[in-house]
């Protein structure tokens, strides 16, 4: 009996017999449940994407402008059909004679395939650190010249060699390379200015938009810059090489043969 009385009382309250209860119900219906107050972390999370998008645009543009094109786009360090080389020299003899102090080779993507400090045959009297970046400690455990020379010759064989003023690098290596396989950025016609050769740092600044050789030289960066200059002009460059070869072949055929006595 007691329980039936309670059941009868509640429905009567819901019908509005208790004015206080009715007012409370109306209030709850009109306002609804109060949403939980977001914490500071929640506010930060909801605001972050909006603020992020505003900030990302200028940051993204500035990041793009700061991207260094000399940084390889992959990590493939295989020896490709085209390689680039740069050497740094030290002074031997009276200091005015150059000897190989470091040699760096990169593949067509700019990844390093060989980079060694070299112990010259003669005693080093001038490390030329302000340019070469080479210090006495670098040559203490460096490889002997003959070992490096042999390895570089093996890597170069049968491949196109890219570089800047390559005759200087080949000279200190005491090596030669077929002229038809040389791609020298100091001699490529479109890079010449009024018929004169230009330093690699100027070519890199103008055609690649990068600064190199500010102070101590990095042979890896120099080799990468030469390779990128070649890759950007490869199609036209290779066409000009083929045209020169054809022209020389025609000239040889045109030369009159000497009459036998």
């Amino acid at each position: 009996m007691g329980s039936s009385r309670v059941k009868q009382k509640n429905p009567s309250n819901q019908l509005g017999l208790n004015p206080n209860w009715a007012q409370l119900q109306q209030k709850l219906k009109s306002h609804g449940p109060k949403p939980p107050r977001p914490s500071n972390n929640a506010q930060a999370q909801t605001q972050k994407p909006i603020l992020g998008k505003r900030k990302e645009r200028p940051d993204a543009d500035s990041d793009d402008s700061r991207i260094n094109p000399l940084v390889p786009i992959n990590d493939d360090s295989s020896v490709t059909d085209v390689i680039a080389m740069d050497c740094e020299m030290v002074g031997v003899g009276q200091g005015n004679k150059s000897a190989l102090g470091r040699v760096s080779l990169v593949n067509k993507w700019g990844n390093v395939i060989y980079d060694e400090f070299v112990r010259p045959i003669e005693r080093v009297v001038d490390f030329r650190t302000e340019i070469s970046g080479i210090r006495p400690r670098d040559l203490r455990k460096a490889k002997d010249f003959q070992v490096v020379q042999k390895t570089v010759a093996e890597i170069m064989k049968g491949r196109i060699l890219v570089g800047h003023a390559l005759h200087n690098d080949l000279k200190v290596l005491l090596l030669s390379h077929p002229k038809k396989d040389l791609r020298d950025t100091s001699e490529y016609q479109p890079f010449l200015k009024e018929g004169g050769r230009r330093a690699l740092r100027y070519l890199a600044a103008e055609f690649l938009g990068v600064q190199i050789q500010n102070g101590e030289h990095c042979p890896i960066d120099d080799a990468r810059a030469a390779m990128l200059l070649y890759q950007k002009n490869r199609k036209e460059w290779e066409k000009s090489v083929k045209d020169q070869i054809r022209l020389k072949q025609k000239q040889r055929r045109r030369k009159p043969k000497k009459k036998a006595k």
Side-chain angles (χ1 to χ4, degrees), residues 6-251:
V6 173
K7 285 181 181 178
Q8 289 175 357
K9 188 177 181 180
N10 286 340
S12 64
N13 289 341
Q14 290 176 3
L15 293 173
L17 297 178
N18 188 329
N20 292 333
W21 174 247
Q23 286 177 9
L24 180 60
Q25 274 194 321
Q26 283 297 110
K27 211 172 194 180
L28 290 172
K29 284 180 182 179
S30 61
H31 294 286
K34 190 174 182 180
R37 185 175 179 180
S39 64
N40 292 336
N41 291 337
Q43 286 179 345
Q45 287 176 357
T46 54
Q47 291 177 0
K48 189 175 180 181
I50 300 171
L51 295 175
K53 285 182 181 178
R54 290 177 190 160
K55 290 182 179 180
E56 276 172 10
R57 287 195 183 100
D59 286 350
D61 293 341
S62 59
D63 286 343
D64 288 341
S65 64
R66 288 196 299 267
I67 289 174
N68 187 348
L70 301 185
V71 176
I73 58 173
N74 61 40
D75 57 359
D76 187 339
S77 297
S78 59
V79 183
T80 51
D81 58 336
V82 181
I83 60 173
M85 178 173 69
D86 188 73
C87 297
E88 294 301 330
M89 290 76 156
V90 292
V92 296
Q94 298 299 316
N96 56 354
K97 182 181 176 184
S98 294
L100 182 65
R102 183 181 177 184
V103 57
S104 302
L105 297 169
V106 302
N107 61 15
K108 66 181 181 181
W109 297 294
N111 290 305
V112 177
I113 54 178
Y114 190 74
D115 180 39
E116 289 290 347
F117 288 101
V118 186
R119 187 184 297 110
I121 298 171
E122 299 181 59
R123 188 175 70 90
V124 179
V125 297
D126 185 0
F127 287 89
R128 304 177 184 175
T129 306
E130 66 280 359
I131 299 295
S132 70
I134 298 173
R135 291 165 172 77
R137 66 172 180 267
D138 296 324
L139 302 191
R140 285 183 194 131
K141 294 183 179 180
K143 292 189 176 180
D144 291 335
F145 172 78
Q146 291 90 344
V147 174
V148 173
Q149 180 194 45
K150 183 181 179 182
T151 303
V152 172
E154 289 172 352
I155 296 173
M156 283 170 33
K157 190 174 180 180
R159 292 183 169 86
I160 292 176
L161 181 64
V162 180
H164 191 82
L166 281 168
H167 59 280
N168 292 329
D169 298 329
L170 293 171
K171 184 179 179 180
V172 293
L173 278 161
L174 302 180
L175 293 174
S176 61
H177 201 64
K179 192 172 182 180
K180 67 179 181 64
D181 292 333
L182 293 177
R183 304 292 182 268
D184 197 324
T185 54
S186 72
E187 297 180 357
Y188 184 49
Q189 185 64 38
F191 294 157
L192 304 180
K193 193 171 185 179
E194 297 176 356
R197 297 178 181 179
R198 303 167 68 193
L200 182 60
R201 65 179 179 274
Y202 296 131
L203 296 178
E206 180 176 343
F207 296 100
L208 305 178
V210 293
Q211 302 294 321
I212 60 171
Q213 300 180 346
N214 293 324
E216 296 179 9
H217 293 195
C218 173
I220 295 174
D221 281 349
D222 290 355
R224 285 173 172 169
M227 177 59 79
L228 193 54
L229 286 166
Y230 168 73
Q231 293 289 5
K232 283 180 172 290
N233 297 272
R234 182 170 186 170
K235 189 176 179 180
E236 297 82 3
W237 201 327
E238 290 303 321
K239 184 179 181 300
S240 68
V241 171
K242 289 178 181 177
D243 290 343
Q244 289 173 6
I245 293 172
R246 288 196 199 99
L247 182 61
K248 287 180 180 179
Q249 288 173 345
K250 285 181 181 179
Q251 289 173 345

